[in-house]
Amino acid sequence: MILAADFNITKVERSKLNDIDLENIPFGKYFTDHMLEVDYENGEWKTVEIKPYQPLLLAPSTAALHYGQAIFEGIKAYKNPEGEPFIFRPHDNFIRFNISAERMQMPQLPEEIFMEGLRTLIELDKNWIPNKADHSLYIRPFMFSSDELIGVKPSEKYKFMIILSPTGPYYSTPMRIYVEEQYVRAVPGGVGYAKAAGNYGAAMFATAEARKKGYDQVLWTDAFEHKYVQECGTMNVFFIIGDTAITPDLGAGTILAGVTRDSVIVMLKEMGFKVEEKALSINDVIDAHKAGLLYEVFGTGTAATISLIKELRYKDYVMEFDVDRWKTAPEIKERLNQIRYGTAPDQFGWMFKV
Ligand code: COI
């Protein structure tokens, strides 16, 4: 059992907090005073170091830079009205982190390093949690292979780190989405369900092409028929069709099991919706739109929270939505925020006290 008492903690002499306007921050640009770093070598995790945020010194031969054994997580911390810090469902991210590690042939991370590491780091940098609506402290745990060797094989050495970034909204306005039919994000048997760094790099070209056409993100479709919807940009996606909320199921291993996705499913059920996790074809979405039954489309993710989709384009068929009239997605966002910011009871036991 590894406890915080076993961590080596070196604090900054002077906090950078006063240099930053926490009320006015883009996503992922500023980092807090401290970071966590621990190495894996000879089959074991070494001493956890918490120290001032600083650059890493890496050999050019560092394996992750060449073959991409690299995984990460995204989690958020919030403050309640009393100013106490809470983290949203971090244990679910811990479980997913080790699922990603297994798929990428990386070592399992002990729960105490992840959970106790998070708690200790956030306790130290809790003043960095913004107080403003839609703002939070974004937590980025990550692991990469650190062998200094360019032979293609699983590394023997790894580094696990956690960095923290105070942040505002990721997508601030409703999005225009292009249904992708040429490029693919994930295939059955691939790594789509893992939070592997390469999934995000591999998505950038298609996203840039969609941007050139005036869209914010792509809606990925399956690799074989380009028919079944998968994820939307870096988010899971939900369609409210009639009295049913539908989101692609996780069965094919092509979809990331989002923690926000799971929370939204729980909340939709609680609000009286039928929720179906199933293969959903773009033709079914279009048929629902033609029948006037496609009420809302939105993305969910840690960074994005709930993002409304105001336009969906498939080939020449354009679906436009008057998002100002929507009820469900805004209500879920509001209720989720109330739980996160501690203004409503934590009825599902999602908030982890630091
Ligand atoms: C998240 O939602 O936390 C993500 O990982 C998406 C993106 C910022 C990479």
Side-chain angles (χ1 to χ4, degrees):
M1 173 104 164
I2 303 157
L3 294 172
D6 302 321
F7 294 179
N8 255 344
I9 301 180
T10 313
K11 295 188 188 169
V12 291
E13 283 174 9
R14 176 189 168 275
S15 173
K16 298 174 294 189
L17 185 53
N18 291 336
D19 308 341
I20 289 167
D21 176 11
L22 275 193
E23 300 272 297
N24 199 358
I25 31 175
F27 181 85
K29 183 160 179 208
Y30 298 108
F31 297 93
T32 64
D33 289 324
H34 299 94
M35 64 185 197
L36 179 147
E37 182 176 346
V38 52
D39 287 310
Y40 178 89
E41 209 176 326
N42 299 323
E44 60 177 26
W45 290 96
K46 305 291 177 192
T47 304
V48 175
E49 306 275 346
I50 290 184
K51 55 183 170 182
Y53 181 89
Q54 59 192 272
L56 298 173
L57 188 62
L58 293 177
S61 58
T62 297
L65 302 177
H66 301 268
Y67 306 123
Q69 262 188 306
I71 58 172
F72 70 96
E73 272 303 326
I75 313 174
K76 278 180 173 169
Y78 303 83
K79 262 187 198 160
N80 70 8
E82 287 73 48
E84 297 165 318
F86 283 83
I87 312 175
F88 185 71
R89 302 189 67 175
H91 196 262
D92 296 86
N93 294 85
F94 163 69
I95 305 266
R96 189 173 69 183
F97 191 74
N98 274 341
I99 291 172
S100 300
E102 181 187 38
R103 180 61 182 85
M104 296 301 290
Q105 191 56 35
M106 300 167 90
Q108 294 288 291
L109 187 79
E111 181 171 335
E112 297 82 12
I113 294 185
F114 193 98
M115 296 300 291
E116 203 47 26
L118 264 184
R119 211 191 52 70
T120 313
L121 191 60
I122 297 210
E123 174 61 34
L124 208 54
D125 283 347
K126 63 180 174 217
N127 292 340
W128 287 80
I129 305 177
N131 267 327
K132 200 171 158 186
D134 287 331
H135 287 53
S136 57
L137 186 66
Y138 186 80
I139 304 167
R140 173 51 62 86
F142 61 104
M143 174 169 31
F144 62 91
S145 55
S146 53
D147 270 7
E148 296 174 11
L149 178 88
I150 56 169
V152 184
K153 68 179 197 56
S155 188
E156 284 170 17
K157 295 199 284 180
Y158 295 85
K159 199 181 272 298
F160 171 71
M161 302 189 69
I162 307 176
I163 54 176
L164 309 174
S165 176
T167 190
Y170 192 73
Y171 300 117
S172 41
T173 52
M175 304 166 70
R176 300 181 67 217
I177 301 295
Y178 183 82
V179 182
E180 182 57 60
E181 286 186 281
Q182 185 178 1
Y183 306 106
V184 292
R185 175 187 175 275
V187 293
V191 296
Y193 69 89
K195 211 158 170 66
N199 283 343
Y200 294 78
M204 288 180 189
F205 183 76
T207 309
E209 292 292 298
R211 291 229 165 99
K212 282 188 211 156
K213 298 182 187 116
Y215 290 86
D216 298 302
Q217 280 292 343
V218 299
L219 176 62
W220 298 104
T221 54
D222 73 283
F224 304 119
E225 299 176 83
H226 288 302
K227 190 169 151 194
Y228 293 98
V229 304
Q230 294 183 336
E231 292 187 19
C232 182
T234 62
M235 303 179 291
N236 295 118
V237 64
F238 285 78
F239 298 81
I240 310 265
I241 298 180
D243 63 354
T244 307
I246 305 174
T247 191
D249 68 290
L250 307 175
T254 51
I255 309 253
L256 189 78
V259 177
T260 313
R261 173 187 182 277
D262 184 72
S263 310
V264 168
I265 289 175
V266 169
M267 296 180 82
L268 280 164
K269 286 183 180 161
E270 211 238 347
M271 286 161 69
F273 279 90
K274 243 179 12 201
V275 180
E276 289 181 3
E277 297 177 63
K278 65 174 192 185
L280 177 65
S281 80
I282 190 67
N283 292 328
D284 289 343
V285 172
I286 289 172
D287 287 347
H289 182 254
K290 287 183 175 160
L293 290 172
L294 178 57
Y295 295 138
E296 299 189 24
V297 188
F298 55 93
T300 66
T302 298
T305 64
I306 310 282
S307 281
L308 310 186
I309 293 174
K310 69 173 181 191
E311 183 183 326
L312 200 55
R313 182 198 183 102
Y314 176 63
K315 299 185 195 283
D316 289 333
Y317 191 75
V318 178
M319 293 166 261
E320 284 176 312
F321 308 101
D322 185 0
V323 298
D324 292 334
R325 297 176 56 185
W326 287 3
K327 295 267 180 306
T328 307
E331 184 179 338
I332 293 176
K333 184 170 182 182
E334 176 61 23
R335 294 175 72 163
L336 202 48
N337 275 345
Q338 287 170 348
I339 294 175
R340 286 168 160 161
Y341 294 100
T343 55
D346 176 20
Q347 64 183 114
F348 306 111
W350 285 337
M351 303 310 291
F352 173 87
K353 192 164 184 345
V354 171

